[in-house]
Amino acid sequence: MKIPVAVPTHARQLLQFGVGMTLAVVLLAWGLPYFAQTSWGAIWAVIRGVPPQVAIGLQALMLLGLYSYTFTFTGSLRGLSHGKALVINLCGSSVSNLLPGGGAVGLAATYAICRSWGFSRRATSTSAIVTGVWNVLARIAVPVVAILLLMIGGVTLPQALVDLAVAGSLTGLGIIAAVAGMMASERVAQRIGALIDRVVGPLVRRRRPHSAMSVAALVTDLRARIIDVVRWRWWSMTLGMIGFFGIYYLLFVLVMRQTGVGLALNLLFAAYAIGRLLSAVGITPGGVGVTEATTTIVLVGWGADPAAASAGVVLFSILTHLMEVPLGGLGWLLWSLSTKVEPPEEGTEPTLAAARPVTVPDLLRDAGAAPAGEGDPSPEVPPEAVPRSGAAPR
């Protein structure tokens, strides 16, 4: 079965990708050693000092982190096994790192792979939405927690970093409040949808004059779907995110210790959190270059040896980002060898009735409930309307 993934070929997208890659190369080749006040010769000397068996062990730990993320994905898609979730993760990450418009192409690949295994459009798009929300909340929570730990530990922080923590906290509270409001009240969901409709509707109709899409109806529909998934496996998705970020932080600490960076754990956690936040920056593909240069500057500013800090950041990036490309090739091979299942025809699935609000007792009671089967009882959402899913956040 051939996956119908449309690779972006628009001149503007290719130009943006070219500029982003050029900037990433400049930041890595020149900016990293320049700002850290070291040289690539010194950086590679430290990296070459890492024993091969240690590097293999670190790579195995990275794979364990990716496997932990499968709990988030299997919790959002009924009937998906952890093995298949890992394949989707590897495939989505590889195309996201290699192609222009990588995030969108990664989502399209995830969508098509799930369809090839017999999952409905509705189930797949709902999974993408829910995992997208979980990823956003995690990206906001990790740096905020890091800043709070530094403040509690008495570490003097630059005012810009404090302002970033405050802005992140307010943004997180805003997102949580909006999501909680939509989950608790159908009226709130309709009002939020109507507000988005007034802003987005004219833009959609300009591109698609005959489109009858209603964001208000879509948001109301999504509420029922999200409630259904969250009540079913919220604990699995949450533990998956905690496991993923926790294992990657452990990997970051071990890499830094291996390259000779002896900073305290709270400082390393803060540097790690800043890197995770910057990896979402869209200036370069996957935040490459921006993440490494900034993280190194932070570590050196806190007293780490420039060559050791730079080597640790580069090695961590190789293990968690560059190695996703060959691992992605393995993922595509495993998908090509897997058994394909014809997905259900559009319009043959039942729809959910209006969902009632989710309460804490509901979640605790439903945590051990058995899955009700794969069929997702909710209307279809086109893949371009859903956030990226299927790949663990970098």
Side-chain angles (χ1 to χ4, degrees):
M1 177 179 179
K2 181 181 179 181
I3 286 194
V5 178
V7 177
T9 56
H10 194 280
R12 185 176 65 180
Q13 292 174 319
L14 294 176
L15 177 62
Q16 289 175 342
F17 179 75
V19 171
M21 284 299 297
T22 301
L23 180 58
V25 171
V26 171
L27 285 172
L28 284 174
W30 171 81
L32 180 66
Y34 175 80
F35 291 116
Q37 296 298 299
T38 185
S39 66
W40 272 108
I43 294 172
W44 285 120
V46 175
I47 294 177
R48 283 195 298 269
V50 178
Q53 64 271 21
V54 173
I56 293 173
L58 294 173
Q59 191 67 66
L61 186 60
M62 174 267 195
L63 288 173
L64 180 61
L66 292 182
Y67 184 80
S68 295
Y69 185 77
T70 63
F71 285 86
T72 298
F73 204 33
T74 56
S76 67
L77 186 58
R78 288 177 172 88
L80 181 68
S81 68
H82 288 279
K84 288 184 175 180
L86 184 58
V87 169
I88 294 173
N89 195 352
L90 295 176
C91 293
S93 296
S94 64
V95 297
S96 297
N97 293 337
L98 284 175
L99 299 176
V105 179
L107 173 60
T110 297
Y111 189 86
I113 290 173
C114 289
R115 293 282 289 160
S116 75
W117 285 333
F119 292 98
S120 68
R121 297 177 187 272
R122 299 162 185 163
T124 305
S125 58
T126 302
S127 169
I129 293 166
V130 175
T131 54
V133 171
W134 250 245
N135 284 328
V136 169
L137 293 179
R139 284 186 181 276
I140 293 172
V142 170
V144 171
V145 170
I147 298 298
L148 292 177
L149 288 176
L150 291 180
M151 290 180 173
I152 294 173
V155 178
T156 302
L157 300 174
Q159 187 59 42
L161 207 54
V162 176
D163 293 341
L164 180 63
V166 173
S169 300
L170 294 177
T171 302
L173 289 174
I175 293 175
I176 292 172
V179 174
M182 289 174 59
M183 296 301 99
S185 170
E186 186 174 356
R187 180 177 299 178
V188 172
Q190 291 173 343
R191 288 180 177 177
I192 293 176
L195 178 62
I196 298 175
D197 225 352
R198 285 197 293 270
V199 176
V200 177
L203 300 176
V204 173
R205 285 186 287 274
R206 186 179 303 172
R207 294 188 61 183
R208 300 179 181 179
H210 302 293
S211 174
M213 187 188 81
S214 169
V215 178
L218 180 63
V219 169
T220 302
D221 194 49
L222 292 181
R223 173 179 175 269
R225 287 199 262 170
I226 294 173
I227 287 177
D228 180 53
V229 171
V230 169
R231 290 185 63 196
W232 177 55
R233 282 288 178 87
W234 62 273
W235 54 272
S236 175
M237 294 185 292
T238 302
L239 289 177
M241 294 301 301
I242 293 174
F244 171 78
F245 281 106
I247 291 173
Y248 264 44
Y249 168 59
L250 175 61
L251 176 63
F252 184 78
V253 171
L254 293 177
V255 168
M256 290 299 159
R257 294 293 187 252
Q258 191 64 40
T259 58
V261 177
L263 295 179
L265 293 179
N266 62 336
L267 296 178
L268 289 179
F269 183 70
Y272 165 76
I274 291 170
R276 297 314 89 205
L277 184 61
L278 291 174
S279 66
V281 174
I283 300 176
T284 62
V288 175
V290 177
T291 300
E292 288 75 15
T294 306
T295 305
T296 301
I297 292 171
V298 169
L299 291 171
V300 173
W302 281 331
D305 176 76
S310 302
V313 169
V314 171
L315 181 57
F316 182 76
S317 183
I318 291 173
L319 292 171
T320 60
H321 191 67
L322 184 62
M323 288 303 296
E324 285 184 344
V325 176
L327 289 173
L330 176 61
W332 284 109
L333 175 62
L334 292 174
W335 171 81
S336 67
L337 297 175
S338 65
T339 303
K340 310 302 184 297
V341 179
E342 196 66 30
E345 295 182 7
E346 183 179 348
T348 60
E349 298 164 281
T351 57
L352 276 178
R356 62 184 177 84
V358 180
T359 63
V360 173
D362 287 337
L363 295 176
L364 295 176
R365 184 185 67 248
D366 294 341
E374 187 279 320
D376 181 25
S378 47
E380 174 190 350
V381 178
E384 64 270 14
V386 211
R388 177 184 174 223
S389 178
R394 187 180 168 223

